[in-house]
C-alpha cells in the first residue's frame, strides 16, 4: 500500500487497505489516521466513517462510534 501511495498519493484505496491492516494489528490510531486521509480525498466516502466507527467500537468508545455511524448514514441513508 505504501508503494501505491508513493505513486498515487490522492488515490484513496491504499489508505483503506492500510486501515484494514492496521486494524488487524490493533494499531487503532494509525488506522484512524489512514481513514482521515481518505476523508481528505473524499469527504463523502461513507465507508471511511463506518470503518472509523468500527475502530472506535473495537476500543469500546461506543458514543464516539455511534456518532461516526450516524454520519455514515447521513451520507447514504439506504444503508440503514
Amino acid at each position: 500500500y505504501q508503494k501505491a501511495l508513493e505513486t498515487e498519493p490522492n488515490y484513496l484505496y491504499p489508505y483503506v487497505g492500510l486501515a484494514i491492516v492496521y486494524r488487524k494489528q490493533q494499531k487503532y490510531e494509525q488506522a484512524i489516521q489512514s481513514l482521515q486521509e481518505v476523508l481528505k480525498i473524499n469527504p463523502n466516502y461513507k465507508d471511511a466513517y463506518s470503518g472509523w466507527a468500527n475502530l472506535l467500537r473495537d476500543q469500546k468508545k461506543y458514543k464516539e462510534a455511534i456518532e461516526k455511524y450516524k454520519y455514515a448514514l447521513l451520507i447514504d441513508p439506504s444503508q440503514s
Side-chain angles (χ1 to χ4, degrees), residues 43-72:
N44 292 315
Y45 190 69
K46 74 156 178 69
D47 290 341
Y49 287 102
S50 296
W52 193 345
N54 291 336
L55 290 161
L56 291 166
R57 187 193 65 214
D58 290 348
Q59 298 173 80
K60 299 185 183 348
K61 297 179 180 179
Y62 301 117
K63 287 182 183 180
E64 293 174 65
I66 289 168
E67 292 306 311
K68 298 300 179 198
Y69 285 128
K70 285 180 181 178
Y71 200 82

Side-chain angles (χ1 to χ4, degrees), residues 7-70:
T7 58
E8 287 291 332
N10 291 320
Y11 189 56
L12 61 85
Y13 295 107
Y15 289 111
V16 173
L18 281 174
I20 292 167
V21 170
Y22 288 139
R23 182 180 184 199
K24 288 181 181 185
Q25 296 173 342
Q26 296 182 343
K27 295 180 179 179
Y28 300 117
E29 290 306 313
Q30 289 168 291
I32 289 170
Q33 288 172 359
S34 293
L35 293 175
Q36 288 171 329
E37 291 299 320
V38 169
L39 293 169
K40 286 180 188 175
I41 297 166
N42 181 353
N44 292 315
Y45 190 69
K46 74 156 178 69
D47 290 341
Y49 287 102
S50 296
W52 193 345
N54 291 336
L55 290 161
L56 291 166
R57 187 193 65 214
D58 290 348
Q59 298 173 80
K60 299 185 183 348
K61 297 179 180 179
Y62 301 117
K63 287 182 183 180
E64 293 174 65
I66 289 168
E67 292 306 311
K68 298 300 179 198
Y69 285 128
K70 285 180 181 178

